[in-house]
Amino acid sequence: MESTTVYILETSDIHGHIYPYAYGDLKNAPIGLGRIATYVKRMRKRCDHLLLIDNGDLFQGTPLFTYYIKNAFHKRNPYIEILNTLHYDGAVIGNHEFNYGMDVLDQCKKEAAFPYLAANIIDNRTKQPYFGTPYVTKTFTNGIKAVVLGVTTHYIPNWENPSHITNLEFLDAFETTKKWVSFLQQSENPDLMIVSYHGGFEHDVHTGKSTGENPQENQGYRMCHEIQGIDVLLTGHQHQMLATEVNGVSIVQPGMNGERVGTIKVDFHLDNGKRKIAKKKSSLISMDGMPVDKKIISIVEILEKDTQEWLNETIGTIDGNMHIEDPFLARQQEHPFIEFINKVQMDATGVDISCTALFNDKVNGLPTDVSIRDILSNYIYPNTLSVLELTGEDIRQALEKTASYFMITNDGKLGINPSFTTPKPQHYNYDMWEGIQYILDIRLPIGKRVTSLTYKGKPLQEKKRYPVVMNNYRAGGGGGYPMFKNKPILKEIQLDMTELITNYFLTHQTIQATCNHNWKVIL
């Protein structure tokens, strides 16, 4: 008997990160393709049989890619050049790949030395997969044959600008996977059947309990349980860190921004010419401490230099004062910076009720002359936006949750509830609203502090439904807001807030620092 090993490496949800730092403060971080390249090259030296796949959302997320699209699109796509240099075997199309329109994707198809895989994205004109062959086959020198099928969440039309997906049809990811796996088992007879799915799990992978995730957007758990013949499922989209087995299927999901590489070791035994899987092991390899590959960084060195200069350019001005001198005071009475963020959210979605948070006590607000770096320093999370359909009672419950942020100290002053500071600061879970008028009376018990709540001058109706925009984290119930979980989603905006704020400045140039004082906290 002879044994042999195949390694599968997965990157997913890189979101534009090549350099090992965040663009708001340039602090060193264990992220990016620069570090990943070092790990990939080390593994190639160690392993004779290696398969390297990107699982989607490679682009959107950093100023580097935004600058490339706006100012250097006539040049080769640096991200495709990096994947070519690292000899990727294939890449799946993620939902964010569509954010910049089909011209970007068509250019990627031409420049890529690897196949783009998306079995369930169909060209309406030809009725064939738009990106060509939906799977890739690789036969290693030891004779082991691996097949990788690529699919992506079919929920993309619910988010994307229709002009960016003209002539495309998005078939159900589960049904497409089931059909193709069955076909490939017969036609290719692989020793190793891999599905790379830009989607995640609708159930907890350990307990099987529903997580509240949309079962149409994320179908990974169902794939593992209901589709026969899958050996490995590479996932992403949710930005979770997962490495385990689900119903005998080895799964990985490596977080986001290149902080981890999903790695699956598959041991085979060969007996009389028959190859069988003896053992599989999933793991996540952290990029913390991994050196940056200088060759990969050199590919984007000039573009990055230009990007950094662009980040420091003034893109708009503030007429008035949006500087935050006292974060605690800014949570007690409306601040122009918070009103501005809510205005951007409402403008992007076309609704007139919005909520947002002052994420931490280091946020300084905006100076008179605003650069993109100022925006990144103030809006520190890569949030997108969701519009939920909420009842008046849902909104009241959310305001009661936010009112629990405050407490009265022993000396009778307004303080912060320790549950928002211990064991870690959670100022981002205190929301401030625009489009409604409300009063929070902290003298009253928690749960009964909303003493006035109106919309357009009339009391908010308990059972009436209202469209409300908020960030995607909060829309999922994150931060202790169960009243938002599983509520109807009317609209989603897939550009993150830093891009939306930047675009708002580029459109309006001068922003008035206004404050309509639609809410107040009383003691």
Side-chain angles (χ1 to χ4, degrees), residues 317-323 335-336 366-369 510-514:
T317 58
I318 303 295
D319 183 3
N321 185 3
M322 277 197 197
H323 180 69
H335 191 280
L366 296 173
T368 300
D369 296 318
T510 298
I511 307 297
Q512 302 293 322
T514 61

Side-chain angles (χ1 to χ4, degrees), residues 15 23 30 40 70 95 102 127 149 164 168 172 194 196 259 271 317 332 371 373 390 415 430 453 464 473:
H15 285 292
Y23 281 80
V40 169
K70 292 180 180 294
N95 52 295
M102 291 305 296
K127 305 304 179 183
L149 172 70
H164 291 174
L168 296 183
D172 184 282
I194 304 162
S196 188
E259 58 193 334
D271 192 3
T317 58
Q332 297 175 50
S371 69
R373 198 182 303 280
L390 302 177
Y430 171 75
L453 179 54
K464 186 174 179 179
Y473 170 75

